[in-house]
Amino acid sequence: MCVATIHSSVSAREIKDTITTRVVKPNRSNNALQRTGSALGCASPVRAFSAPLPSLSFVSLGASSRTVKTALLFLCIATFALAADDEGLSLMRVPFERGSQTPPSVSVFLDLGYGGIGRKQPHAVIACIWPDGRAVWSRDRSRGGPPYFTAHIEPKRLTELVAALDAKGIFARKVWYSVGVDSEHHDINILDGQRRVAFSATGYYNKNSNKPPEQITTVPDAYAFFRQQLERLLPRQGEQLRAFDYELRKLP
């Protein structure tokens, strides 16, 4: 329960960085820690961080026992949340073109969730873009499925997409998750070398938003910004495919 709350309010890495900042470098903002503490109902431990810590050493320069314990507690929470991020990422599936071993750099598909049980096709690809610039997309940008079209984009434009997402803080988390129980959801995977970020959420992919904030911290904003950038990237015209055969796989 705690880990889920952290994910919905602030990234685990931000919590960990904030703890380090408050302990080693006083007089820096502790907003992330305060938001997390409030979400967890831990108001009093958070107040222990409100005063600047005058030292770089807990023991030699006299940090209080309570402060040390609180720092260790929140560091443990952040560590567990980071581990949960890794585990969550390992469960996310990516659409591979059947017969290929190369995952797309960007992929979006709709998973029907409980509603897909018993169906021949319980999911539908919306778009895939590979590192060489090859793109495949569905005419239906909301629910996917045939007809599919293909064209090439300049690889540098894919690099620009990743840079735009990175600048907004999308890569600050490994997983952006908000799925209702058994609900259909849109899954997004973005691979950039050794980096990877995944989205999985119910009800946000088709919603528009106003101008995104400087740093994105919520699932709705993350989805809206990604879709805005994807629509700019995908070609307006392409060659229609007879079929697009794919399979969902987990990455090692």
Side-chain angles (χ1 to χ4, degrees):
M1 180 64 70
C2 288
V3 170
T5 304
I6 290 172
H7 283 192
S8 65
S9 57
V10 63
S11 72
R13 190 172 300 280
E14 188 181 359
I15 301 166
K16 186 176 181 181
D17 290 345
T18 302
I19 294 168
T20 303
T21 297
R22 296 305 295 161
V23 172
V24 179
K25 298 178 181 178
N27 301 316
R28 297 287 296 276
S29 171
N30 63 341
N31 290 338
L33 188 58
Q34 289 175 336
R35 292 200 305 274
T36 305
S38 297
L40 294 173
C42 304
S44 57
V46 172
R47 283 199 294 269
F49 282 88
S50 60
L53 299 180
S55 76
L56 302 181
S57 169
F58 288 127
V59 178
S60 61
L61 297 182
S64 71
S65 174
R66 181 183 178 187
T67 300
V68 175
K69 290 178 180 178
T70 305
L72 291 176
L73 171 63
F74 276 82
L75 187 57
C76 287
I77 293 172
T79 302
F80 281 126
L82 286 172
D85 264 359
D86 289 333
E87 182 179 359
L89 197 61
S90 70
L91 297 175
M92 298 291 291
R93 299 175 298 171
V94 176
F96 280 73
E97 190 166 19
R98 198 173 298 278
S100 173
Q101 298 302 314
T102 303
S105 296
V106 176
S107 62
V108 186
F109 68 93
L110 173 67
D111 188 317
L112 296 178
Y114 185 81
I117 294 177
R119 294 197 183 190
K120 184 178 180 180
Q121 193 73 352
H123 39 71
V125 164
I126 293 172
C128 289
I129 305 174
W130 284 267
D132 64 357
R134 177 173 174 249
V136 170
W137 68 93
S138 169
R139 176 181 290 168
D140 187 338
R141 299 281 234 276
S142 296
R143 303 193 65 80
Y148 287 103
F149 299 84
T150 185
H152 275 78
I153 62 173
E154 295 181 34
K156 71 174 185 179
R157 295 189 61 208
L158 185 57
T159 301
E160 290 169 355
L161 167 70
V162 171
L165 298 175
D166 203 5
K168 288 294 184 182
I170 297 297
F171 282 89
R173 302 187 193 181
K174 294 182 180 180
V175 179
W176 297 76
Y177 186 88
S178 182
V179 176
V181 177
D182 295 332
S183 300
E184 70 175 34
H185 50 276
H186 288 86
D187 284 10
I188 302 168
N189 279 273
I190 303 162
L191 282 66
D192 178 40
Q194 298 300 312
R195 297 193 303 170
R196 179 186 175 196
V197 62
F199 304 60
S200 187
T202 300
Y204 293 126
Y205 189 74
N206 300 321
K207 292 184 178 180
N208 295 319
S209 67
N210 297 322
K211 183 179 178 181
E214 288 298 319
Q215 286 293 298
I216 290 174
T217 58
T218 68
V219 171
D221 283 341
Y223 265 79
F225 184 71
F226 170 81
R227 186 170 187 187
Q228 177 190 77
Q229 297 301 309
L230 179 66
E231 291 298 325
R232 291 176 179 175
L233 181 63
L234 288 174
R236 295 188 178 276
Q237 295 182 338
E239 176 186 353
Q240 185 170 341
L241 297 173
R242 286 188 176 183
F244 176 57
D245 193 14
Y246 68 93
E247 57 185 337
L248 298 181
R249 302 183 209 161
K250 297 175 183 177
L251 293 179

